[in-house]
Amino acid sequence: MSQRQVLQVFEQYQKARTQFVQTVAELATRPQNIETLQNAGVMSLLRPLLLDVVPTIQQTAALALGRLANYNDDLAEAVVKGDILPQLVYSLAEQNRFYKKAAAFVLRAVGKHSPQLAQAIVDCGALDTLVICLEDFDPGVKEAAAWALGYIARHNAELSQAVVDAGAVPLLVLCIQEPEIALKRIAASALSDISKHSPELAQTVVDAGAIAHLAQMILNPDAKLKRQVLSALSQIAKHSVDLAEMGVEAEIFPVVLTCLKDSDEYVKKNAATLIREIAKHTPELSQLIVNAGGVAAVIDCIGNCKGNVRLPGIMMLGYVAAHSENLAMAVIISKGVPQLSICLSEEREDHIKAAAAWALGQIGRHTPEHARAVAVTNVLPLLLSLYMETESSEDLQVKTKKALKNILQKCTYLPALEPLLHDAPPNILKHVVGQFSKVLPHDSKARRLFVTTGGLKKVQEIKAEPGSLLQEYINTINNCYPEEIVRQALELQHHPSGCHANQ
Amino acid sequence: MATLARLRGRLPGQREEYFHRNRAVDEYRKAEHNAAVRIQSWFRGCRVRAYIRYLNKMMIIIQKWWRGYQGRKHFRKMVETAYFIMKMNFYNEMAVRIQKRWRGYYIRKYIHNYYALKKYLEAISVNNEIVRKELEEFAEMKEKEKEKKDLEREEKKKDHQARKMHYLLSTEQMPGVYNSPFRQSPDPMEVRLRKARPFSHRQQQIKKHLADEISDWPTCTSALTFPTMKPLPPIGRQKPQGPFRDTAEVLQQRYKPLEPTLRVATSINSLEKAREEIKREEWRNRINDNKFLPFSSCHKNQEYDPLIHTSSKYGQMTYGIKHFREEHHEKWVANKDFETVLPSIDLFDKFGQTYSKAGQIV
């Protein structure tokens, strides 16, 4: 009789604990409850429950802790300060899979907020246990462990190095080959976070044979997986030429081009980023991309998207055109220049406009043919107006000025230079007038046109210091014409109302 | 003798002649001497001059020959150098012609091959067109697939709805909602309802308890992520001879899932479990666990629990209970004390003593 009563007490206690922990876990899913829970001192109450006899209570307590730590970094710090981590790490090694999942969730939730918290996790030796979890049979455990490792490695290079030193990379590469999509996603994202910091880390990831598997997974229909895979490949390829070449050897072209047509915006953005990182290293790699038809695909992609998604594509065109004039010509005939000028005029953000201006400058700077192709699309007045606008950021102004200078130094297409004569500030005007002085002595039709359109008049209006380069250019232009015409132009300038210029 | 006579005849005059001769000689000696000197000097001069002339001539001849020799030598050298220069110019010109051709050829072929570049650029545009077209097709295909999937999802949803709402089917007596008599033909939903197989009750129960949830909350273990493969057909399968039924049908019948009745399917203590659940839910959602008691009788014997803040070892603080006035006299605004007893309100005296029973405590 009394024994039963005694046992009943224990049973009630156990029920009470179970209920408490389950309700706390449920309440922790809603953000508005978490403040109240924190004020009620839930951390200190949950901590002893982690050591409870009943496994369900342990797991639910860990789950609740994870949800709380996930919410903001004060709670995560409280988890760290409350010495909960060593306990978790210790029991991670020996418990069943549900507990492992919950504990890995707590580690992830703590590690995601800041590098210091992640360092605390590394310091209490969690990395080795997480790596052991990566070898577990249950895919859920693997996913939770991979997620935690990815969040830790995300912050900086030392933490990534610590993760790599714990031997996580080969296991992550094995995880990528597993059939579960969620596990693949998380493993790809973890590899991407590891390799983004430095070339050595990227090399480690490549040495583990990740590239072949990542390249295979580009064909997978799942959009989120493709995002992560493309991001991982671009983080690897961005560091050096060898890594980029390895990426190309894995035969990602032309499959990557199909990703540019995906319906998901971020897949398109990451695919464009990958192509950009490969293109920027050497002319040969850019040549490869051009031969595979990458430029056309990227230009179409730019045309279909709006906003920040366009940015890597624009930069890719700039990098390709910067390498050599043949590649710039290839960009031109793929109808890149009209698309870039549309971007320049449509976009609102300054950094996208700056990138488009830079790309146009790289295309137009090689030879007069290139400059003509750029100038024909009427983009020079647009660049000038962006340069002159006071609201443009510093970066945008610098880039538009450089682009203008580069294009103008080679531009011989006079109809496009005309409008610039009227509005440009002196430093740009110098180049414009210089170009006129180079072309006009040799071309009689152009000379006639110059006078009729009032260019000569405008040139007379320019005040330049004698002996400066601008004055020399003006003299050269004046020498192309007979005296009377120059005088008439001068008179017109002084008496604009009366005379009518005839040549 | 004759001579001697002649000689003697000349003798007297000899002395004078001798004297005259000597005198003449002496008189003209200087003049003769000068003349002789002059003549001799002139003659010597002539001789010397002739000699010099002769020497000159010889010199001239020698020098002439020597200079001729030098000049010819020089000329030969000049001719040689001129010839050499001419040759070199010629070679240079020819070399220029060769180099001109070679450089033109080399640059046109290897460095800036205009036609190759043109072909290359044309090939790129063609390739771009191909790539663009293929990508368009790919995108279209993806669009179509997506549409198909959406359509299928719609269909499945509608079928699911039909199965859930099978009771809306029209009967002989009563036309259903979707089969209005004023329509020409029944609504498609009606057709679906006719085809639908009604759900059994067990399948409706999707609510799971939290305790069972923990195994499901991470995404991986839900059944959808495991690739479900259809069972492979047995190896070496020959169609059995004879009037046998279709294997699929037989298997379906043989392995038909159990559809137990409601009585069998409910567990024996389902009632208690349901009650427990309701209790748990109510407990969870309750803020105050004390039972709600009516006013009058239950709180009569209850002791008053004073606030922790106002009680101390020496009894209760008076501030807040006995008086509400500030304890420091300097901070008082008015000198008069507060009224502790308010004047009575007449209306409230009549409470409970009027005719109506409204406000009576039940």
Side-chain angles (χ1 to χ4, degrees):
Chain A
M1 187 66 188
S2 64
Q3 198 190 26
R4 206 174 61 173
Q5 276 180 346
V6 166
L7 285 177
Q8 210 175 15
V9 170
F10 281 93
E11 216 167 298
Q12 274 175 3
Y13 180 48
Q14 181 176 327
K15 254 197 215 142
R17 288 197 319 270
T18 328
Q19 255 174 31
F20 170 69
V21 117
Q22 279 173 356
T23 31
V24 165
E26 201 170 313
L27 288 173
T29 52
R30 283 186 212 94
Q32 57 264 34
N33 297 335
I34 292 193
E35 293 286 333
T36 340
L37 284 171
Q38 189 181 8
N39 292 339
V42 70
M43 285 288 171
S44 40
L45 287 174
L46 280 177
R47 187 173 155 211
L49 289 174
L50 275 177
L51 304 166
D52 201 276
V53 188
V54 180
T56 327
I57 297 183
Q58 279 180 4
Q59 292 152 19
T60 330
L63 173 61
L65 262 178
R67 284 187 185 156
L68 286 170
N70 203 7
Y71 177 66
N72 72 5
D73 44 348
D74 291 329
L75 286 163
E77 265 200 61
V79 168
V80 172
K81 286 211 187 97
D83 271 340
I84 302 183
L85 289 178
Q87 182 52 45
L88 271 178
V89 170
Y90 173 67
S91 20
L92 245 184
E94 44 192 53
Q95 293 286 353
N96 65 2
R97 59 193 168 113
F98 302 112
Y99 188 82
K100 282 190 193 171
K101 266 189 266 195
F105 174 46
V106 175
L107 290 172
R108 159 169 59 112
V110 169
K112 84 173 186 187
H113 293 288
S114 80
Q116 291 81 17
L117 290 167
Q119 187 63 44
I121 295 187
V122 172
D123 289 334
C124 69
L127 283 181
D128 294 320
T129 18
L130 281 174
V131 167
I132 294 178
C133 284
L134 270 181
E135 294 177 321
D136 200 276
F137 285 115
D138 183 44
V141 174
K142 282 195 264 205
E143 182 192 343
W147 213 336
L149 285 168
Y151 274 21
I152 292 175
R154 188 179 281 198
H155 294 290
N156 60 27
E158 286 86 31
L159 290 164
S160 289
Q161 189 61 47
V163 169
V164 169
D165 289 336
V169 175
L171 293 168
L172 283 172
V173 173
L174 277 176
C175 283
I176 282 196
Q177 304 165 39
E178 297 276 335
E180 290 82 30
I181 298 265
L183 180 56
K184 285 202 231 238
R185 268 187 226 151
I186 303 296
S189 139
L191 284 174
S192 155
D193 286 331
I194 290 177
S195 48
K196 78 180 178 192
H197 297 287
S198 85
E200 292 80 25
L201 290 164
Q203 189 64 44
T204 325
V205 171
V206 167
D207 288 337
I211 289 201
H213 299 111
L214 287 172
Q216 273 175 354
M217 290 203 293
I218 297 185
L219 295 165
N220 198 299
D222 184 55
K224 290 200 177 131
L225 176 61
K226 274 197 275 207
R227 273 188 219 176
Q228 299 299 341
V229 165
L230 288 168
S231 150
L233 282 169
S234 61
Q235 302 289 5
I236 292 176
K238 79 178 180 193
H239 292 291
S240 80
V241 185
D242 296 320
L243 291 167
E245 277 177 4
M246 261 191 253
V248 168
E249 271 168 31
E251 290 175 22
I252 50 176
F253 288 101
V255 181
V256 165
L257 302 180
T258 56
C259 295
L260 282 171
K261 279 282 183 185
D262 204 275
S263 43
D264 189 74
E265 295 284 316
Y266 286 100
V267 172
K268 283 196 245 196
K269 184 174 178 198
N270 286 354
T273 315
L274 173 61
I275 301 183
R276 173 191 81 191
E277 299 297 349
I278 292 182
K280 80 177 182 193
H281 290 291
T282 68
E284 287 81 26
L285 284 169
S286 301
Q287 183 89 39
L288 192 106
I289 296 177
V290 167
N291 291 350
V295 173
V298 167
I299 292 174
D300 282 349
C301 176
I302 294 179
N304 292 338
C305 312
K306 299 258 172 278
N308 253 325
V309 182
R310 277 176 163 170
L311 185 61
I314 297 176
M315 289 177 70
M316 178 255 178
L317 289 176
Y319 280 126
V320 166
H323 285 299
S324 83
E325 48 179 70
N326 294 345
L327 290 169
M329 190 50 94
V331 173
I332 291 176
I333 60 162
S334 312
K335 306 188 186 66
V337 183
Q339 194 59 254
L340 281 173
S341 48
I342 291 175
C343 284
L344 196 59
S345 47
E346 266 186 4
E347 288 292 330
R348 300 269 148 261
E349 307 261 320
D350 272 354
H351 60 272
I352 305 183
K353 285 207 242 210
W358 170 76
L360 281 167
Q362 295 299 330
I363 295 178
R365 74 178 165 96
H366 297 280
T367 71
E369 285 301 316
H370 296 79
R372 182 204 174 97
V374 173
V376 157
T377 56
N378 258 336
V379 81
L380 292 176
L382 185 57
L383 280 173
L384 188 65
S385 65
L386 281 173
Y387 174 55
M388 307 280 286
E389 232 178 278
T390 45
E391 295 153 10
S392 321
S393 63
E394 278 273 332
D395 186 43
L396 178 56
Q397 278 181 345
V398 163
K399 292 217 164 90
T400 42
K401 174 163 161 212
K402 250 194 181 171
L404 263 178
K405 268 175 65 168
N406 281 337
I407 299 177
L408 283 175
Q409 271 168 357
K410 295 282 171 153
C411 185
T412 52
Y413 182 60
L414 296 180
L417 290 180
E418 290 274 354
L420 290 181
L421 260 186
H422 299 277
D423 307 320
N427 50 352
I428 306 280
L429 197 58
K430 185 169 58 170
H431 296 288
V432 178
V433 176
Q435 286 303 107
F436 273 113
S437 74
K438 280 185 208 150
V439 176
L440 286 178
H442 307 289
D443 191 352
S444 60
K445 215 163 49 167
R447 283 201 286 272
R448 222 173 299 146
L449 225 58
F450 190 54
V451 178
T452 45
T453 54
L456 190 58
K457 181 166 69 102
K458 187 71 181 58
V459 166
Q460 306 306 320
E461 282 174 22
I462 302 171
K463 295 179 203 25
E465 298 104 51
S468 73
L469 215 54
L470 190 52
Q471 188 62 39
E472 275 178 45
Y473 293 147
I474 297 180
N475 289 345
T476 326
I477 296 181
N478 287 346
N479 290 344
C480 302
Y481 292 96
E483 270 293 322
E484 310 87 51
I485 297 186
V486 178
R487 234 181 311 125
Q488 266 178 358
L490 262 172
E491 279 173 14
L492 254 181
Q493 183 216 330
H494 289 311
H495 311 284
S497 51
C499 323
H500 181 67
N502 51 341
Q503 82 279 6
Chain B
M1 273 337 182
T3 21
L4 199 56
R6 209 182 330 121
L7 278 170
R8 266 207 197 139
R10 266 202 337 224
L11 207 63
Q14 277 234 322
R15 214 183 261 160
E16 269 178 42
E17 214 180 320
Y18 181 72
F19 174 72
H20 280 298
R21 267 212 198 142
N22 283 347
R23 178 109 186 246
V25 169
D26 269 342
E27 269 180 16
Y28 295 114
R29 179 191 294 255
K30 262 206 187 114
E32 277 179 8
H33 182 74
N34 290 345
V37 165
R38 240 190 179 167
I39 291 169
Q40 282 180 19
S41 77
W42 182 71
F43 184 69
R44 280 184 215 266
C46 277
R47 274 190 75 175
V48 165
R49 270 194 291 279
Y51 183 59
I52 289 178
R53 211 175 308 135
Y54 169 76
L55 279 183
N56 266 348
K57 266 204 213 131
M58 296 304 116
M59 231 34 319
I60 284 174
I61 289 174
I62 291 174
Q63 285 184 4
K64 177 177 82 173
W65 279 94
W66 176 249
R67 287 183 192 198
Y69 168 71
Q70 286 289 78
R72 272 187 294 282
K73 206 164 86 165
H74 188 241
F75 173 72
R76 226 173 281 128
K77 265 223 177 68
M78 257 176 42
V79 163
E80 248 183 67
T81 44
Y83 178 61
F84 180 73
I85 288 173
M86 228 170 61
K87 256 200 327 201
M88 290 312 290
N89 281 346
F90 180 71
Y91 291 162
N92 279 347
E93 244 178 66
M94 294 304 120
V96 162
R97 284 190 201 177
I98 294 173
Q99 286 182 16
K100 179 172 82 169
R101 294 282 174 133
W102 163 252
R103 280 180 203 212
Y105 164 77
Y106 184 73
I107 290 182
R108 272 190 291 276
K109 182 155 175 187
Y110 293 108
I111 312 232
H112 180 72
N113 190 338
Y114 176 73
Y115 295 103
L117 187 63
K118 189 163 147 188
K119 223 168 39 168
Y120 173 67
L121 291 174
E122 277 173 12
I124 287 190
S125 12
V126 166
N127 194 18
N128 282 349
E129 285 307 313
I130 294 176
V131 166
R132 277 189 172 127
K133 212 164 51 159
E134 283 186 5
L135 286 178
E136 284 281 329
E137 284 173 16
F138 178 76
E140 269 178 38
M141 192 182 74
K142 281 272 153 131
E143 275 288 319
K144 281 206 199 100
E145 268 181 30
K146 204 165 87 103
E147 275 176 27
K148 210 168 72 167
K149 264 205 338 229
D150 284 339
L151 269 169
E152 272 179 19
R153 209 171 350 120
E154 280 292 319
E155 281 286 322
K156 259 184 75 173
K157 213 170 82 165
K158 290 219 173 102
D159 279 336
H160 185 82
Q161 287 279 66
R163 286 187 77 184
K164 263 177 41 179
M165 303 195 297
H166 62 93
Y167 46 83
L168 292 175
L169 188 60
S170 55
T171 58
E172 288 265 342
Q173 290 286 9
M174 181 73 114
V177 180
Y178 292 107
N179 191 8
S180 160
F182 301 110
R183 288 171 68 104
Q184 258 107 340
S185 60
D187 197 85
M189 193 64 183
E190 176 72 22
V191 178
R192 249 185 253 271
L193 285 170
R194 285 187 197 154
K195 282 198 275 199
R197 186 166 65 90
F199 274 131
S200 55
H201 275 284
R202 199 166 48 146
Q203 288 178 0
Q204 292 269 352
Q205 201 180 58
I206 352 164
K207 253 184 21 164
K208 278 195 255 195
H209 196 60
L210 179 65
D212 312 324
E213 270 289 339
I214 184 147
S215 56
D216 279 349
W217 64 264
T219 51
C220 264
T221 51
S222 57
L224 293 167
T225 58
F226 278 98
T228 44
M229 269 198 349
K230 293 207 191 50
L232 298 168
I235 306 172
R237 197 174 111 127
Q238 284 128 355
K239 202 156 163 46
Q241 201 188 22
F244 293 123
R245 284 177 57 200
D246 187 26
T247 332
E249 257 184 50
V250 169
L251 288 173
Q252 202 182 24
Q253 206 176 43
R254 191 180 295 171
Y255 296 117
K256 201 154 73 166
L258 181 67
E259 285 175 14
T261 57
L262 187 61
R263 180 163 162 264
V264 168
T266 47
S267 73
I268 201 163
N269 47 1
S270 61
L271 195 59
E272 280 94 11
K273 268 211 229 143
R275 281 200 190 124
E276 288 286 305
E277 231 225 283
I278 292 180
K279 266 204 211 145
R280 246 202 300 265
E281 205 191 326
E282 284 183 358
W283 175 84
R284 214 165 50 219
N285 293 337
R286 257 205 307 269
I287 301 177
N288 187 2
D289 270 335
N290 304 333
K291 234 161 82 160
F292 181 68
L293 303 165
F295 299 110
S296 44
S297 41
C298 307
H299 299 289
K300 268 192 239 177
N301 303 323
Q302 258 194 3
E303 284 270 325
Y304 169 63
D305 292 322
L307 276 177
I308 300 177
H309 295 295
T310 55
S311 55
S312 59
K313 264 198 318 205
Y314 310 103
Q316 267 188 335
M317 270 171 49
T318 47
Y319 178 78
I321 302 188
K322 298 240 168 44
H323 63 91
F324 288 92
R325 200 82 200 275
E326 173 68 56
E327 278 165 352
H328 297 281
H329 298 268
E330 313 86 60
K331 298 194 187 160
W332 282 1
V333 174
N335 283 331
K336 272 190 348 186
D337 215 349
F338 294 159
E339 284 185 359
T340 50
V341 182
L342 296 170
S344 63
I345 304 176
D346 301 319
L347 191 59
F348 290 177
D349 287 340
K350 302 197 195 126
F351 183 66
Q353 278 135 30
T354 53
Y355 280 97
S356 80
K357 295 276 183 189
Q360 294 270 346
I361 295 171
V362 176

